[in-house]
Amino acid sequence: MKRALIILLALIAASCAPADKRTHINLQRFFGECGAAYGHSIDVAKADGECGIMTVLINRFNAENPDIIVDTNVVAWPGYAQLTAQIAARDPPDLVTIHQGVLTDYAARGLAEPIEPILRQAGISPDAFTDAGRRGVTKNGVIYAMPWDTIGGLFHVNTALFAKAGLMRNGKPVLPTSPAELLDQARQFKARTGKPYFIQSQVNDPATHVRNLYTYLLAQDAVIFPDATHIRLATPQAAEIVNLFRTINAEGLSTLNQDTPAAINSFLNGEGGIYPTGTWMIGSFEKEAETPGRPLYKSYGVYPYPRLWGHPAAFVDGHSWVMPKRSRTAATRAAIARLLKFMSDHNFDWARTGHVSAMKAVVASPAFAALPHRADIAPLAVVGRPLPGNIRRQGAIEGILGEELAAAVSGQKPVAQALADAERRANRLLATID
């Protein structure tokens, strides 16, 4: 009797509670969880890092839009297994962060909603996107996401060591303009500093060699994927690129046998000239450059990969906002449009992470240029190229290529054999995709 009374009172209390009339958006993202530091903050200018800026942006949107509530689900990076399971259960989020290269797989299977209708509702024209951003979210001629940034490889440079090597001019590092010049400068650097020209993460990091290969093939307008189920790697252009980096290793012009944490530590400690890694490291390295007593103090610069062949180019990816296909009310769609408009208006805040903005107006703004090194890396917004929008399983292909290229660069396999094996294995994978 007592238990029944308790249940009845609870039901009465629930029935008296005010109804939540707000429109809910179920947003799922990676970038980490930092609620302890930023859970109640709405001051975006004081937020730092990917997690902090993202958390505060959503907090501020909720504060400024009391009729909408963004319910955030933070997933462990990158969260695609969870998203796939949610889609299979027919309960995906309303909005989700997806890498532009991975977006291809969801779009090809009809699991992502074309986003242009929502963009129109938000008053956002695709013409506002940078060239790199628009390429990244366009799959077979259809825009499937709002680009959030462009991410890719850069040359992070220890300028103090470059000065010691005699490779600074007018306060800027002298970067090579051809393969032969790169080798000459790398040899000069080692002779004058006693340190390797490159610091590279060559262990358990397939992106290192794949980024080099894709970038310099794209610079030569090579057709890497003649169609959606074939890759072309057994070519003179690919062999020349791989042989260059094989020579760099063979002559001790690069660190060897380092994974990513070891390579980062080497660069922080001034153990080499250039660390080719991503946009995401700019913030960490810049903090070191501002810290007296550290090897990088006032000795850090960062630039796109130099043109060694063909024209300036960079293999890039990017983060994007995607609407998984599901039924939504008109109110939910209108709320998503308002959220995307808010995010696009605050894309400059996200650019403080080190990633290149996906909005032309931000990249062209004095505020963006005033951020450390952004004027130097801004060309990525124009020259950045993703893989073609019909190529699926890009992550798996990167793993295959990275394994074979590592064998070639380290001398474990002849270059021609490694490229042929990479081509054969990737084509076999692409042939299995239904």
Side-chain angles (χ1 to χ4, degrees):
M1 180 68 180
K2 183 177 179 181
R3 186 167 185 269
L5 181 60
I6 292 172
I7 293 172
L8 178 61
L9 290 173
L11 290 172
I12 292 172
S15 67
C16 294
D20 186 355
K21 296 182 179 180
R22 297 175 297 178
T23 300
H24 286 249
I25 301 173
N26 183 347
L27 181 148
Q28 186 160 293
R29 66 167 183 83
F30 38 74
F31 302 123
E33 205 290 319
C34 50
Y38 295 105
H40 301 289
S41 174
I42 60 172
D43 190 346
V44 184
K46 293 182 179 179
D48 189 31
E50 290 179 333
C51 183
I53 292 172
M54 178 63 70
T55 300
V56 177
L57 281 174
I58 294 172
N59 290 347
R60 180 166 173 176
F61 177 83
N62 282 335
E64 294 180 357
N65 295 270
D67 58 325
I68 299 172
I69 182 70
V70 177
D71 299 312
T72 304
N73 181 35
V74 179
V75 294
W77 189 93
Y80 300 131
Q82 182 168 331
L83 176 60
T84 300
Q86 291 167 323
I87 290 173
R90 299 183 180 180
D91 189 27
D94 290 306
L95 200 63
V96 63
T97 49
I98 294 182
H99 290 87
Q100 292 161 13
V102 177
L103 173 60
T104 307
D105 292 277
Y106 290 94
R109 295 170 59 195
L111 302 176
E113 181 175 326
I115 207 166
E116 282 195 80
I118 291 289
L119 294 178
R120 282 194 295 270
Q121 192 171 351
I124 301 170
S125 169
D127 292 338
F129 304 153
T130 63
D131 294 346
R134 186 163 182 168
R135 292 183 194 111
V137 297
T138 302
K139 311 297 177 181
N140 291 318
V142 178
I143 297 176
Y144 279 96
M146 186 179 85
W148 187 226
D149 56 35
T150 293
I151 58 177
L154 299 164
F155 269 27
H156 300 262
V157 182
N158 183 318
T159 55
L161 289 177
F162 260 62
K164 187 176 180 179
L167 292 172
M168 293 290 289
R169 186 177 299 135
N170 299 322
K172 297 279 188 179
V174 178
L175 296 177
T177 59
S178 70
E181 193 172 31
L182 187 152
L183 289 173
D184 287 344
Q185 291 182 6
R187 291 163 182 154
Q188 176 178 320
F189 183 95
K190 185 178 181 181
R192 296 190 182 183
T193 67
K195 299 176 186 293
Y197 181 77
F198 278 126
I199 292 170
Q200 294 189 94
S201 172
Q202 301 192 60
V203 177
N204 297 324
D205 186 5
T208 293
H209 297 305
V210 174
R211 191 186 298 127
N212 294 338
L213 181 64
Y214 280 164
T215 289
Y216 289 120
L217 286 176
L218 290 168
Q220 300 175 75
D221 295 321
V223 179
I224 305 172
F225 292 90
D227 56 54
T229 58
H230 293 88
I231 192 170
R232 182 183 294 157
L233 294 175
T235 66
Q237 294 102 319
E240 188 176 6
I241 296 164
V242 178
N243 272 311
L244 172 64
F245 287 93
R246 183 183 176 113
T247 300
I248 288 167
N249 267 18
E251 294 190 16
L253 304 175
S254 172
T255 58
L256 304 174
N257 304 317
Q258 289 190 332
D259 60 9
T260 298
I264 291 172
N265 192 59
S266 289
F267 187 70
L268 292 176
N269 288 317
E271 296 173 5
I274 296 171
Y275 180 22
T277 190
T279 51
W280 49 89
M281 293 305 304
I282 291 176
S284 298
F285 293 158
E286 179 60 20
K287 285 182 180 179
E288 288 283 306
E290 295 172 352
T291 305
R294 296 296 296 151
L296 283 181
Y297 181 56
K298 294 186 176 180
S299 301
Y300 171 59
V302 58
Y303 306 90
Y305 277 40
R307 184 195 64 80
L308 300 180
W309 290 273
H311 54 76
F315 168 62
V316 298
D317 199 340
H319 303 111
S320 61
W321 291 108
V322 180
M323 293 174 61
K325 187 163 285 187
R326 61 170 298 164
S327 61
R328 296 177 178 85
T329 65
T332 300
R333 297 178 71 83
I336 292 171
R338 281 166 61 183
L339 176 59
L340 290 179
K341 181 67 168 70
F342 174 89
M343 288 298 195
S344 71
D345 288 345
H346 287 272
N347 193 247
F348 168 77
D349 292 303
W350 185 249
R352 293 191 291 111
T353 60
H355 307 316
V356 177
S357 172
M359 303 296 169
K360 288 179 181 176
V362 173
V363 175
S365 69
F368 181 81
L371 292 172
H373 313 291
R374 297 321 192 271
D376 291 322
I377 68 170
L380 237 59
V382 177
V383 304
R385 296 285 192 281
L387 295 186
N390 62 343
I391 304 304
R392 297 167 64 181
R393 303 295 303 278
Q394 292 183 23
I397 292 170
E398 180 180 281
I400 291 170
L401 269 57
E403 183 178 306
E404 295 293 346
L405 293 173
V409 170
S410 66
Q412 296 174 23
K413 268 189 181 183
V415 170
Q417 180 187 340
L419 289 171
D421 288 346
E423 184 177 286
R424 173 182 52 79
R425 291 176 60 192
N427 284 339
R428 185 169 60 193
L429 169 67
L430 288 167
T432 66
I433 298 174
D434 54 20

